[in-house]
Amino acid sequence: MLKSLLRSALPLLLLTSAGPVLAQPAVGSVGKGVIIGTVIDVVSRKPVPDVVVTATSPRMQGEQTVVADAQGNYRIPQLPAGTYTVRFEREGFKVYARADIQLLANRTIRLNVEMLPDPDSRTVEIIGGPPAISVGSTNQGVNVDPEFIKRIAVARPVGQGGATRSTEQANPPGVSISGTTSPENGYVVDGLSTNDPAFGINGNPNSTNDRERAPSWALPYMHVVVPDGTPQTVYRAPQASAVPTPQPAPERTVAPKGQRFFDMYFKGYGVNPTVDTEEERFSTFSVDTDTASYSLTRAYLERGALPDEQAVRVEEFVNTFDYGYANAPDAPFSVNVEGFPSPARKGYQVVHIGVKARDVSAAQRKPGHLVFVIDVSGSMDMENRLGLVKRSLRLLVDALDERDWVSIVVYGSEARQVLAPTNATQRASILGAIDSLHTDGSTNAQAGMELGYALAASHLVKGGINRVILCSDGVANNGITEADGIWARVKEQAAAGITLSTVGFGMGNYNDVLMERLAQVGEGNYSYVDKLEEARRIFVQNLTGTLQVVAKDVKLQVEFDRKTVSRYRLIGYENRLLTQQQFNDDRVDAGEVGAGHAVTALYEVKLRDPAQTNFGTLRIRYKAPEGGSSKLIEKAMPVTLLRPAYEKAASPTRLSYVAAAFAEKLRGSYWARPLTYDALVSLWEELGTPMKTRQDVVELGELIRLAKKLDRREDRFETIAPVRTMDADRVPTLK
């Protein structure tokens, strides 16, 4: 009866779409087809990640299994022509199976699926008919031998969603087991990742179950073919339920002997692949104005160590710098686009896209109630990090005025109120409360967050800024201990108008994953304070932009013209990617932009015909701070914006590339291999004056030189793909 009912509801559960997908077939894949698609929740209309997708057919031996990525996208390549059944499984959802799928040789089928939530997780099969078929061929792949896997696969410590724990300052080159600074950590070659749940060679080669045998380090976008004695069986990951639940971090207040930076928690998201416009011409992502990754990297380098590769997020390096964008006279955003030939990737153009929100003067800033939730657990006594919090707050108090109210909550083993809502003119009372702070107990982040939100809700400033500001090292070993555990609470409060910013402190016993995630779902921003100058930049120089949101759910989309552009790669924003459909879906959350804040993104673009008029179209979709329906801004990007040489581009455009290339170098991006540190220093030197004399730009040059001295990593691909013979279009096909 239940199966019959579900069959009758099939039109509500399954969507299929078709479109041409053209690319060169990979070596050894002639006559093979591909099944791709996106999985979403039928109720929330949001992508469903980590869905185990299994394809079976009488035409092949065994089964082929992949796992949908964070955006719900999956790809099953290297399938022989035949009739297939595709099965979709994920804990918390009803099992869905699609039968009688006819796949032709050198063709691609798009199968988009909507899954029904199932809180009881009962196994119910939903049977459907065949999807529409699009004419095309399979994408370029990478055939990987066992030696290749040994070179780049990394066995990770336990952690949901791929969060890793760094327990050493540095490792020598080679395979890392602890998630520290080994070159292999967090690496993706054109879409091949070591950063998803359960990494490295962690399958069971002796098992007869295909899923258990699967090494789980490859993204579905660019497949990996692992020879294991069977004819080109494609794997991506074992069942999602096999991922262990992470354990709370120990609250250590003294570094183990010989270790400077211990218990550092990061999550890598890989490196974006190069995409053929014939397969996908739309690039869509949520904006990100965080800057924590850059200041955290600076803290590593100035302490004589390279950062963990997973701590490096390119977009946060780029968005740290001011590019001097002008305000748009009659629009909420100004748009700035310029390009030049890539210094690192032959045949490609670097395209700089900058979007700046309107300025709001200090006098026009809305009144606010700021609730500081401060971690005073034992770990905050390390490196005098609580002392830095107190000095930072004193700076902020001096920047507030009679419009503003301040409250303070602290948490150690328990949470308590230190300062009731107090007007900013009562400076002595606020400073006295700040000076009274001292460390005490373990870390009950749950209690601190709940008390902070309760205080903010009980003293809501209507029409003003209502912001909880968490000052912590992110470690939570009491109460809720994971970002996903606090997620629902934070999201609910953000919807009620109380947003959350996170400010990180400390090296060692630090959880970057939790701090970034909280700010993202709390519709705020994430910063990291490594020195008092950084606190002054956040709380004084950028106070209005830090606090006052002028646009929410801001999404950017670039539609590349296939006549002009053949391939492209978005540099950074790996954890902010959206699908084409999500761009127009107002139910999909995206990032917030503060007053005067700018978002800058860089692409590597290969031109097919530079004689065309435009190479693409930029679209910006955003909502007013109070919500409502989104609005759209659309700008054509003419080819005339592409300069003939690096030195012909404006100095801010060049600065953005130096910042991005530095981050790419530090995180071990495959495409940054041809760019040496000496070449990077030369590019910095060519920024010219007065740009090169600006204090933050001077510091960037110093950090590049520091990294050059510290970086002793070996090029993990040199013996199998020498830099001098690199193919600028794709990673090598290995046998």
Side-chain angles (χ1 to χ4, degrees), residues 257-391:
K257 186 177 180 180
Q259 297 182 20
R260 291 176 61 194
F261 311 137
F262 60 96
D263 294 342
M264 298 288 285
Y265 291 80
F266 301 105
K267 179 177 180 178
Y269 298 91
V271 175
N272 281 330
T274 303
V275 179
D276 192 317
T277 56
E278 294 294 340
E279 180 169 336
E280 181 57 79
R281 69 182 187 276
F282 292 94
S283 173
T284 309
F285 60 96
S286 165
V287 301
D288 179 9
T289 58
D290 296 346
T291 59
S293 179
Y294 181 79
S295 49
L296 188 54
T297 295
R298 179 177 61 205
Y300 266 105
L301 293 174
E302 291 184 346
R303 288 165 172 78
L306 284 180
D308 189 307
E309 291 183 4
Q310 294 184 91
V312 179
R313 293 181 286 273
V314 176
E315 64 276 11
E316 296 184 24
F317 274 56
V318 173
N319 287 324
T320 293
F321 296 92
D322 180 3
Y323 301 107
Y325 302 138
N327 281 324
D330 54 357
F333 294 98
S334 66
V335 177
N336 307 264
V337 179
E338 192 176 32
F340 55 86
S342 171
R345 198 167 181 186
K346 186 177 180 181
Y348 280 74
Q349 301 283 321
V350 174
V351 176
H352 165 116
I353 299 174
V355 174
K356 181 181 182 294
R358 63 179 173 85
D359 285 316
V360 174
S361 68
Q364 294 174 317
R365 177 177 62 80
K366 295 179 180 180
H369 179 201
L370 309 182
V371 180
F372 290 93
V373 177
I374 302 172
D375 182 355
V376 295
S377 63
S379 63
M380 289 295 287
D381 199 30
M382 297 173 57
E383 295 183 323
N384 197 27
R385 56 185 75 174
L386 181 58
L388 183 55
V389 171
K390 292 161 73 172
R391 294 195 299 275

Side-chain angles (χ1 to χ4, degrees), residues 14 82 85 151 161 212 240 263 272 307 318 432 456 489 530 636 647 655 663:
L14 179 67
T85 296
R151 289 182 181 275
E212 293 180 7
D263 294 342
N272 281 330
V318 173
R489 300 172 188 268
D530 58 330
E647 60 271 15
L655 172 61

Side-chain angles (χ1 to χ4, degrees), residues 458-604:
S458 63
H459 295 79
L460 203 68
V461 178
K462 293 184 178 180
I465 300 167
N466 297 279
R467 180 71 60 100
V468 173
I469 301 176
L470 174 66
C471 299
S472 173
D473 54 19
V475 176
N477 60 8
N478 242 346
I480 296 177
T481 59
E482 299 171 41
D484 287 340
I486 304 176
W487 185 88
R489 300 172 188 268
V490 174
K491 191 174 182 66
E492 179 182 359
Q493 295 293 340
I498 304 173
T499 55
L500 171 69
S501 288
T502 58
V503 185
F505 294 83
M507 290 289 290
N509 215 43
Y510 184 78
N511 193 330
D512 175 77
V513 182
L514 180 61
M515 298 295 278
E516 185 196 22
R517 178 66 172 156
L518 284 173
Q520 183 177 351
V521 300
E523 299 185 2
N525 36 52
Y526 169 37
S527 306
Y528 176 85
V529 173
D530 58 330
K531 58 181 71 174
L532 197 59
E533 290 80 0
E534 183 66 17
R536 182 175 287 106
R537 185 185 72 85
I538 298 167
F539 292 135
V540 180
Q541 297 171 358
N542 297 335
L543 177 64
T544 301
T546 299
L547 298 180
Q548 183 160 332
V549 171
V550 296
K552 64 181 296 184
D553 290 337
V554 183
K555 308 169 189 175
L556 300 187
Q557 182 179 82
V558 177
E559 179 183 1
F560 289 100
D561 189 330
R562 288 171 172 162
K563 295 179 181 178
T564 313
V565 176
S566 60
R567 297 170 68 82
Y568 67 89
R569 181 172 80 95
L570 174 61
I571 305 176
Y573 293 93
E574 281 82 6
N575 65 336
R576 305 282 180 160
L577 299 179
L578 301 172
T579 65
Q580 176 191 348
Q581 293 77 15
Q582 288 174 323
F583 180 75
N584 295 318
D585 190 342
D586 282 357
R587 294 168 296 184
V588 176
D589 292 333
E592 281 62 46
V593 177
H597 276 184
V599 178
T600 301
L602 276 72
Y603 283 89
E604 290 175 328

